[in-house]
Every structure is written in structure tokens, then in C-alpha cells.
Amino acid sequence: LEKMKKIYQVAEESKSGLKLNQFKYDLVEEMFEEAGDLDLMQNIKTKLNKLKNTDLGKKYMLPKSVNAEHRSYQLEGFQWLCQLDDINFGGCLADDMGLGKTLQVISLLAYQKELGRSTSLVVVPRSLLFNWVDEINKFCPTLTFQLFHGLNRKIDTKELPNIDIILTTYDTATVDIELLSSIDFNYIILDESQAIKNPTSKRYKAMRLLKSRNRLVMTGTPIENNTFDLFAQFSFINPGMLGSQSHFQSKFSNEIDKNKNEEIADQLKRIIKPFLMRRTKELVAKDLPEKSENIIYCEMGNKQRKLYNDLKNEIRKDVNESIEKNGVSKAKFKIIDGLLRLRQICNSPELVSKTLKSKNTDSVKIETLLDIIENELNGHNALIFSQFTSMLALIKRELDKRKINYAYLDGKTRDRKEAVSTFQNDDNVNIFLISLKAGNTGLNLVKADYVYIIDPWWNPAVEAQAIDRTHRIGQDKHIFAYKMICKDTIEEKIIALQNSKKKLASDLIMTDDNILKNLNKEELIGLFD
């Protein structure tokens, strides 16, 4: 009965009975140890051994064209990618940020070139486009590539035999899917693949139309919000692997996320394990320097505290009335807007009302940060992150008054490379102001050894990505990361909610950006206490 229950959980019903697809090797092996079909079992065991055995030494020789000293885990990752390629399965390389996923994939592409394979397509967020250009030029300049991006983009199919890689962005690929889907690529590789986690999005549907011999996705956070995030990414690399959308939702994601079913979570882990490689810094990069994460608690002054309390009482009353009148789901916008305004006033009252006179705009965070910069940094280099560009503007204003040099990057910065270069190479620039969204991917900022996150966010992964801009390979200093938290405010509640999610996060590589969905009416109103 136990065996049949497991079969039913992972199988899909058809007119002819229950069907198990070929990707569920681990479970098939366990369920059918005494199966009569010896040829089938031998085939399964052969493929399982290939998937599991990455310690193959000389079987896949690293191409000499790759100019890099690979760490042992990077060599293992290269071997694993080649193994998957041998048996024509797609994979998900999900190493922690800073562990060199791009180098491992460039090594695979160099190996593909040696095999005489055709052009591969690499799709990346726009912010990573030139990061890939730099990495290819640095690690394997013999790989030829073409950027497919910008107004005058085109692909000459006659030239494709001379091009190893076409580099493009998700938005460009989605717009020009008719052209790209007419080409048979060798590999399609998606970087930051959580970008396609929504299977109903145009972006996901476009990526599924692309044709290739094999597929690969790269991400440091395969699950950002909930287990369902896995469906689109694994259905992209191995179509059919997780069944239909409704099957996966009912049999797996709902059971795991809503019912906390550990047995089903274990089954899902076993299904995806052969096709997922994830190493954490703690596990493999023991030569990375230590990282300390601390909280700087800021105590609001009387004026800021009064403004905060007045706003909080006003919002709580408004939210309460809205919930009573329309229910929790319809009050969601008011709740989110209220939380946003409270977080802004923790940063500075100026973010909530531009009409406030300067005497009422005391900001304990700006005062604390300036004190640290002027009196404690002592020549050290610091990254300063905020979710709000308006907050960065206030910090800029104060740094300008004091004639303190800094580099600056947000989503509107046209020349990211110049901003990074200014910080990394100018000895007179010790401060880098970065918006959390613009700076959480694709930056290598090992000059810094201090990180300040001005405003905490629901999703700890976003903060971890920010810290990992400097805590990565090449860093030789101890990293000190600080979150700035206003005492007795919504920010303390955010930290408490983050901590309550951490066990689940480590269990299924997940973090929850939609934390509000899991709070009941009393808990939601409690946020405004």
C-alpha cells in the first residue's frame, strides 16, 4: 500500500492507466526493485549511475582554451554538466551567488566548441549582459559571441557556424521570439532563471518555443516565493518532468506549501535531485573569508517617533475599517501601501511627505550612517543599499554637503560599468550607494568589506544577494554586514517574520516574498500595533 501510494503521488492518469515519466529515476528504482522488465531496470540503473557519478577524473577534460584556475567544486560542476549533456538531460546549476556559476557554464560551452557543436543561445537579465561579455573575454576569449540586443539587432543565419554564442536578454528574446524560435540551437541557457518562474507569463511561453539540443538554467534562488516556482524552470529544462501544471500544483506545491507535508517535500527533492546541483559557500568555498551579519538598532528622535506613531494609528484605523467592510483580500492594497509608508518614515519622514519642513525631517538612520562614515570606517570601503532611490537621494545630499566622494548606481544609471569601475578602481571613493533592485545581481564588488542595508525587506534572499556582491571569490577580507533597524517599528516585525521563515528557506532552497499571504487577519492588523 505504501508503494502504491507513492506511485499514485508521482504518476499521471491516462486512459491506459498510470504513467511515470522517465525523469523520476530515483523513485522508479525504489518502487520497482523486483520489477520483471530487466532491460528497463538496466537502462534506469545505467542512467542513474551517470547522473550520480560526477567523480570521473579524466573522462571530461577541461578545455585548454579556458583561462582559469578551477576550484574542486567548479571542476565537479563541469563534470556534472558534461554528464547531463551525455545523456541529453537539462540541468539546473543553483550554486550560491559568488561561487562561479558563469565560469562553469563557459567551461561547458568551450567543451561544446571542442566537440564541434553549433551555436548556443544565452538569455540573461539586461543588467547581466555586459557581465557575460566580460566573463567570456576573461575566461575563454576563443569563444566567439554576438550580442543580440538594441535597436539595430539582427542575426545573419549564414554566419551562425562562425558564432559560438548568441547573447540576448529576456525582454529582447520575448519580443523577437519568432526569429529566435526559427533557429535550432545547441544549448539554450537561462541565467537568473527565476525570471521565468511564472508559467502563465509571456516570457515563459516564449522561452518554451525556443528549439535546442539541450537546455540549462542558472540561478542562486530556484525558489523565490514558493515551491511552484520550480515548475516552470524544470519544465523548461526537461519538458514533462514535473507533469502538467495542475498535477504539480495539486500533488506537490499545495501539499508542501499549504499542508507542510514533509513526505511529499522529500519526494519532490528526490525527483529534482539528479537534475539540480546546488553548493553553498559554507559547503564548498572554505577559503572564503568570514562574514559577520549584525543589526544596528536605531532609536528615533521625538519628532520622528511622533510622526511614525501618528501615521501608524491613521493606517491601522483605515486598514481595520477596510477589512471590516470588504474583507482581508480586498484590503490587501491598503495593507501593502500602509506598510510601505511606515517603512519609508523609518528611513526619513521626507520620503512620506515632501512638504515637511527641515526641522521635522530628522532621520535617525541618516544621522547614524553619517556618523559611521565620518568616524568609524577609517579608510574601509562600504556598500550602502536601500530599496528606495529617494532615500539614496537624501544620503547623496548629505554626502555632497560634507564633500565625501561616492559612486552611485540605481535602475536608471545608464553606465553601470562606469559606476562599478569608479568604486573599484578609485582610491578616493570609499562609498558605493546602490539601489537594492539594481545592485542585487551581476556585480562583483570585492573592494568593499562593509555592507549597510538601510531598510530590511520581507525576502531575506534579496538582502543575501546584496551582501554577496562583496562576499564572493576574490575577497580576502572579513566582511561585516549590517541591517539598520528602527526600534519598536514595523522593521522589527519584518526581522521577526524573516527569522520565522528561515528553517523553511533552508529546507527547500526557498524564501518567501509573498509573506502577507500566509498571515491571518489578526496577524495582519498586528503589524500596525
Side-chain angles (χ1 to χ4, degrees):
L1 281 172
E2 280 299 310
K3 201 167 277 191
M4 290 303 296
K5 189 170 87 173
K6 287 181 181 177
I7 294 169
Y8 182 71
Q9 182 65 38
V10 299
E12 292 195 69
E13 295 174 54
S14 69
K15 288 181 181 177
S16 56
L18 294 175
K19 285 191 175 180
L20 277 167
N21 72 44
Q22 62 170 336
F23 299 106
K24 300 189 171 73
Y25 281 111
D26 265 7
L27 294 170
V28 171
E29 183 184 46
E30 177 199 331
M31 293 178 207
F32 298 104
E33 285 164 352
E34 68 283 357
D37 190 335
L38 296 177
D39 288 342
L40 172 66
M41 289 314 296
Q42 188 55 46
N43 182 33
I44 287 171
K45 281 185 176 171
T46 301
K47 291 201 170 184
L48 256 179
N49 285 335
K50 281 196 173 185
L51 284 169
K52 289 177 177 175
N53 182 16
T54 54
D55 187 19
L56 299 176
K58 295 182 180 177
K59 180 164 183 192
Y60 302 103
M61 294 295 292
L62 196 64
K64 290 181 180 175
S65 57
V66 179
N67 304 324
E69 284 290 326
H70 287 65
R71 284 172 161 76
S72 58
Y73 70 87
Q74 291 172 332
L75 283 172
E76 184 188 359
F78 169 71
Q79 296 287 333
W80 177 75
L81 290 170
C82 291
Q83 283 281 31
L84 283 177
D85 186 58
D86 247 10
I87 47 182
N88 287 316
F89 284 156
C92 174
L93 184 59
D95 289 344
D96 257 354
M97 283 165 299
L99 291 186
K101 292 190 289 293
T102 309
L103 171 59
Q104 293 172 67
V105 172
I106 287 173
S107 302
L108 172 71
L109 290 171
Y111 182 71
Q112 296 294 305
K113 183 181 176 105
E114 284 192 352
L115 295 175
R117 299 248 168 90
S118 60
T119 311
S120 295
L121 177 71
V122 178
V123 186
V124 305
R126 183 171 168 268
S127 61
L128 291 188
L129 199 60
F130 293 99
N131 187 67
W132 266 85
V133 170
D134 286 347
E135 300 271 280
I136 293 169
N137 288 332
K138 178 180 174 184
F139 293 129
C140 193
T142 58
L143 278 172
T144 57
F145 65 88
Q146 178 187 327
L147 285 180
F148 183 64
H149 182 64
L151 293 176
N152 300 316
R153 60 185 181 268
K154 61 179 180 178
I155 294 177
D156 183 348
T157 50
K158 291 177 185 173
E159 283 297 310
L160 279 179
N162 303 318
I163 299 169
D164 299 315
I165 303 166
I166 299 284
L167 266 174
T168 190
T169 66
Y170 283 104
D171 290 341
T172 300
T174 303
V175 169
D176 286 353
I177 191 60
E178 192 173 342
L179 168 62
L180 292 173
S181 62
S182 68
I183 301 169
D184 283 319
F185 292 102
N186 172 37
Y187 257 91
I188 295 167
I189 295 163
L190 306 185
D191 196 0
E192 300 290 349
S193 60
Q194 66 273 17
I196 64 159
K197 67 187 178 189
N198 179 2
T200 63
S201 66
K202 282 184 180 177
R203 182 178 283 179
Y204 170 75
K205 290 172 182 173
M207 297 306 105
R208 285 297 302 268
L209 291 172
L210 295 167
K211 300 189 202 74
S212 63
R213 188 186 61 80
N214 209 347
R215 298 178 173 199
L216 181 66
V217 298
M218 307 158 61
T219 175
T221 49
I223 300 176
E224 273 195 326
N225 298 328
N226 50 54
T227 311
F228 190 67
D229 290 352
L230 288 175
F231 176 79
Q233 295 173 81
F234 278 82
S235 296
F236 172 80
I237 56 173
N238 292 316
M241 175 178 171
L242 298 179
S244 68
Q245 191 173 320
S246 58
H247 167 83
F248 183 77
Q249 199 148 23
S250 63
K251 297 285 182 73
F252 288 99
S253 61
N254 287 348
E255 284 293 320
I256 294 167
D257 295 331
K258 292 181 181 175
N259 301 330
K260 307 291 183 271
N261 188 322
E262 292 184 9
E263 187 182 343
I264 300 302
D266 184 60
Q267 270 195 18
L268 179 58
K269 283 181 193 174
R270 293 184 61 185
I271 289 169
I272 67 174
K273 186 181 176 185
F275 312 100
L276 172 80
M277 179 162 277
R278 176 169 176 80
R279 282 80 58 90
T280 61
K281 289 197 190 78
E282 292 74 21
L283 187 65
V284 297
K286 293 183 169 44
D287 51 346
L288 271 182
E290 289 184 34
K291 172 176 67 173
S292 303
E293 294 189 47
N294 299 289
I295 291 176
I296 297 175
Y297 285 107
C298 305
E299 188 63 58
M300 289 179 178
N302 292 335
K303 292 173 186 173
Q304 191 176 3
R305 172 63 63 186
K306 184 176 187 311
L307 288 166
Y308 177 89
N309 286 339
D310 288 348
L311 180 63
K312 180 183 72 173
N313 293 336
E314 178 187 320
I315 291 169
R316 183 172 59 213
K317 183 184 173 196
D318 197 16
V319 165
N320 247 323
E321 287 174 359
S322 184
I323 290 176
E324 292 301 326
K325 187 176 177 182
N326 302 311
V328 172
S329 60
K330 291 196 175 170
K332 185 182 169 190
F333 178 77
K334 279 191 184 298
I335 294 167
I336 291 173
D337 181 62
L339 293 173
L340 175 71
R341 289 162 67 204
L342 287 179
R343 290 176 61 227
Q344 287 176 320
I345 212 167
C346 287
N347 278 354
S348 169
E350 273 192 81
L351 301 189
V352 178
S353 175
K354 303 293 182 191
T355 60
L356 289 169
K357 302 290 184 190
S358 59
K359 63 179 181 180
N360 283 330
T361 57
D362 296 346
S363 164
V364 63
K365 286 191 180 181
I366 293 177
E367 289 170 12
T368 304
L369 187 65
L370 289 169
D371 184 60
I372 290 167
I373 289 171
E374 292 183 309
N375 302 311
E376 292 181 28
L377 272 187
N378 294 324
H380 288 279
N381 301 289
L383 309 180
I384 298 171
F385 287 91
S386 175
Q387 191 202 346
F388 306 103
T389 54
S390 49
M391 181 61 172
L392 294 177
L394 297 183
I395 297 169
K396 277 170 67 177
R397 184 181 71 190
E398 296 304 317
L399 293 177
D400 288 337
K401 279 184 191 174
R402 291 161 176 76
K403 295 185 167 46
I404 296 172
N405 295 327
Y406 58 86
Y408 182 87
L409 176 67
D410 69 19
K412 292 180 180 175
T413 302
R414 290 193 172 184
D415 195 343
R416 287 169 62 93
K417 201 170 179 181
E418 177 64 22
V420 171
S421 178
T422 298
F423 175 72
Q424 284 286 96
N425 302 320
D426 190 337
D427 291 338
N428 295 314
V429 177
N430 303 112
I431 307 293
F432 199 171
L433 302 178
I434 311 174
S435 74
L436 204 54
K437 208 162 188 179
N440 69 352
T441 57
L443 297 179
N444 188 337
L445 302 170
V446 293
K447 177 182 175 182
D449 50 350
Y450 282 72
V451 181
Y452 296 92
I453 294 172
I454 302 290
D455 26 67
W457 187 223
W458 300 112
N459 190 341
V462 176
E463 293 174 358
Q465 284 178 325
I467 295 167
D468 280 344
R469 296 308 98 218
T470 187
H471 188 245
R472 58 200 298 129
I473 289 165
Q475 180 58 268
D476 56 6
K477 304 177 284 290
H478 189 121
I479 299 304
F480 297 89
Y482 297 95
K483 294 180 188 178
M484 302 185 76
I485 303 296
C486 281
K487 288 287 289 176
D488 303 314
T489 67
I490 183 64
E491 293 186 327
E492 280 198 306
K493 291 179 170 39
I494 289 173
I495 294 297
L497 283 167
Q498 279 187 355
N499 291 335
S500 73
K501 303 289 290 179
K502 273 183 179 169
K503 184 182 183 302
L504 189 56
S506 59
D507 280 352
L508 256 179
I509 338 168
M510 76 174 285
T511 53
D512 193 346
D513 208 16
N514 292 331
I515 202 164
L516 299 181
K517 289 180 182 175
N518 298 326
L519 302 181
N520 60 34
K521 176 183 166 183
E522 287 71 29
E523 290 170 323
L524 284 169
I525 294 171
L527 292 173
F528 301 98
D529 286 344

